[in-house]
Amino acid sequence: MTAMGIKIAPSILSADFARLGEELRAIDAAGCDYIHIDVMDGHFVPNLTFGPPVIEKLRPHTKKPFDVHLMIDPAQPSLADYAKAGADIITVHAEADKHLHRSLQMIRGLGKKAGVSLNPGTPESTIAEVLDLVDLILVMSVNPGFGGQSFIASSLGKIKRVRDMIGGRKIEIEVDGGVNADTIGDAVSAGANVIVAGSAVFKGGDYAKTIGALRTAAG
Ligand code: DX5
Ligand code: ZN
């Protein structure tokens, strides 16, 4: 367990889209820490989900922080819309847009926490120059686009290297993709403290039980 504590962030990508408000209230009551919201544009990733109007409608259903993972390119033109819709953390991909530094400045300028995400094929050196502009680093442990994929083991080395790289900075490390009771322990040992779990939570039936089991398995 890191000094910052383990946070469980269920990804609503695996929730019942026809009952999203209800699903949000259920994971809130089940004790989650963040609500992980996957925004996909059918261009940066081969899948399409939802945008600011849906997030805005979800906002009144919980007070828990909205952890908005933007898998969109470009992201800059709509950052203000996501801030306005109720995002607390806005994470952009290092592979999207042309000017990562500017994207992060924009997010902080909107008064939100800034996150940057790395695809499995992107080295951590890509973000070495922006560490003082980020509040969260999201290490993808699957190729983004879909829930229910298998955890890519080489992500563990990257999480460790990111943890070393950030030194004493107050930056959260989030892991996303294929995390379940079997993989969470290794991700936490490597240095992740925010754990995204989509299918592991929503396909598990009893959300409180599943979130509790994840916390136990996190060690
Ligand atoms: C994938 C998304 C993930 C996804 C994880 O592109 O970023 O947040 O929902 O789903 P699981 O936990 O099922 O791998
Ligand atoms: Zn995600």
Side-chain angles (χ1 to χ4, degrees):
M1 167 106 49
T2 68
M4 283 174 163
I6 300 301
K7 292 177 181 151
I8 304 289
S11 160
I12 61 168
L13 183 64
S14 292
D16 180 350
F17 279 10
R19 299 187 299 112
L20 272 182
E22 205 180 305
E23 292 274 64
L24 238 65
R25 294 196 300 278
I27 49 173
D28 179 330
C32 73
D33 298 290
Y34 289 166
I35 312 283
H36 187 79
I37 300 180
D38 287 305
V39 177
M40 302 184 180
D41 66 354
H43 164 70
F44 181 70
V45 289
N47 198 0
L48 190 62
T49 55
F50 36 67
V54 173
I55 295 173
E56 192 179 354
K57 289 289 181 191
L58 291 176
R59 190 61 278 190
H61 290 269
T62 176
K63 289 193 166 61
K64 302 238 163 132
F66 274 7
D67 168 30
V68 176
H69 178 192
L70 296 180
M71 286 162 275
I72 64 176
D73 186 18
Q76 284 181 8
S78 50
L79 292 174
D81 294 336
Y82 287 97
K84 206 169 152 223
D88 296 286
I89 305 163
I90 301 179
T91 296
V92 292
H93 265 263
E95 305 84 2
D97 297 88
K98 282 197 177 63
H99 304 283
L100 174 61
H101 190 283
R102 180 178 293 144
S103 301
L104 298 166
Q105 279 181 323
M106 286 172 71
I107 297 169
R108 285 212 170 154
L110 290 161
K112 304 299 173 185
K113 287 192 172 168
V116 60
S117 181
L118 298 170
N119 278 333
T122 305
E124 67 280 3
S125 56
T126 308
I127 57 170
E129 299 298 325
V130 297
L131 293 178
D132 291 327
L133 286 173
V134 303
D135 301 291
L136 176 145
I137 297 169
L138 192 172
V139 176
M140 287 303 304
S141 41
V142 299
N143 285 298
F146 304 96
Q149 303 180 76
S150 300
F151 189 87
I152 297 172
S154 61
S155 324
L156 295 171
K158 193 190 288 180
I159 293 169
K160 280 191 194 118
R161 294 190 300 275
V162 167
R163 175 60 67 195
D164 287 346
M165 194 167 92
I166 65 178
R169 295 177 183 85
K170 208 174 157 257
I171 299 174
E172 300 205 283
I173 301 182
E174 182 170 38
V175 59
D176 184 6
V179 181
N180 53 38
D182 295 330
T183 51
I184 191 170
D186 288 342
V188 169
S189 303
N193 78 293
V194 181
I195 313 297
V196 178
S199 44
V201 170
F202 286 100
K203 310 293 178 206
D206 182 336
Y207 300 163
K209 202 170 154 196
T210 313
I211 290 172
L214 284 171
R215 288 195 202 282
T216 306

